[in-house]
Amino acid sequence: MEIGTAIIGLVLIAIVVVPFLMISKGKKSKEKRMLHLLTTEANRVECTITEYESCGNIIIGIDQEAGMVFFVKVKGDASFSEAVNLAGFQSCEIVARNRSRGGASNDSVIDKLELLFRSTTSGKADLALEFYNGAENFQLNDELTVMKKWAKSINNELLIKA
């Protein structure tokens, strides 16, 4: 009788624990794939990632010695990557595009979050890296926290290189 109870207990524990292990393995595999895409983008311009961070379907990294920022956004099997040479930019800031939900409460909803690189040249266009798009993702995760950290870090790099 006690062996039967122990087996049932082990089966129930396995039913609860296995999904969490599978989710964790899937996240690690996705992050590893995104890191590979990021390092491939950096290697393409002969740079080395010195620091990186991933959040959801994006990963951002920097080569501090070369003054380059690398960004990859994965959507299904497709990916978008960008290499940003900080020499052509004066500042980095967070841009949130909001819309009003309407009604009496005047609530606003974030439609887009972008990391905007302001150009040093007036004729040259600014560069925006899209971290969040409400049409693609239904829920905002840690994108804003990650963006604040990287905007501060990139602005520090811009000050050092200036």
Side-chain angles (χ1 to χ4, degrees), residues 7-135:
I7 291 173
I8 291 172
L10 289 174
V11 168
L12 289 175
I13 289 173
I15 289 172
V16 172
V17 171
V18 167
F20 290 107
L21 293 175
M22 291 176 66
I23 290 171
S24 175
K25 184 178 179 184
K27 283 183 181 179
K28 286 180 183 177
S29 173
K30 181 180 177 182
E31 184 174 343
K32 191 174 183 179
R33 177 177 164 246
M34 290 192 321
L35 181 59
H36 175 72
L37 291 170
L38 188 72
T39 54
T40 300
E41 181 69 18
N43 291 341
R44 188 177 61 77
V45 291
E46 298 177 3
C47 290
T48 305
I49 300 296
T50 54
E51 184 181 349
Y52 74 92
E53 188 168 3
S54 68
C55 177
N57 63 340
I58 61 103
I59 188 166
I60 186 168
I62 191 168
D63 181 337
Q64 292 166 326
E65 189 174 310
M68 295 283 292
V69 172
F70 301 94
F71 176 82
V72 174
K73 184 172 185 176
V74 177
K75 199 189 305 185
D77 289 337
S79 66
F80 163 79
S81 61
E82 186 78 46
V84 181
N85 186 345
L86 295 179
F89 298 96
Q90 64 184 354
S91 68
C92 178
E93 59 191 58
I94 298 169
V95 176
R97 303 191 196 285
N98 301 322
R99 68 176 159 81
S100 177
R101 285 174 51 183
S105 64
N106 279 339
D107 289 343
S108 65
V109 177
I110 296 175
D111 277 335
K112 272 189 181 179
L113 285 174
E114 297 174 326
L115 202 56
L116 184 69
F117 292 83
R118 295 273 182 206
S119 176
T120 54
T121 311
S122 61
K124 186 179 174 190
D126 296 338
L127 176 71
L129 302 178
E130 185 181 84
F131 273 66
Y132 172 78
N133 187 332

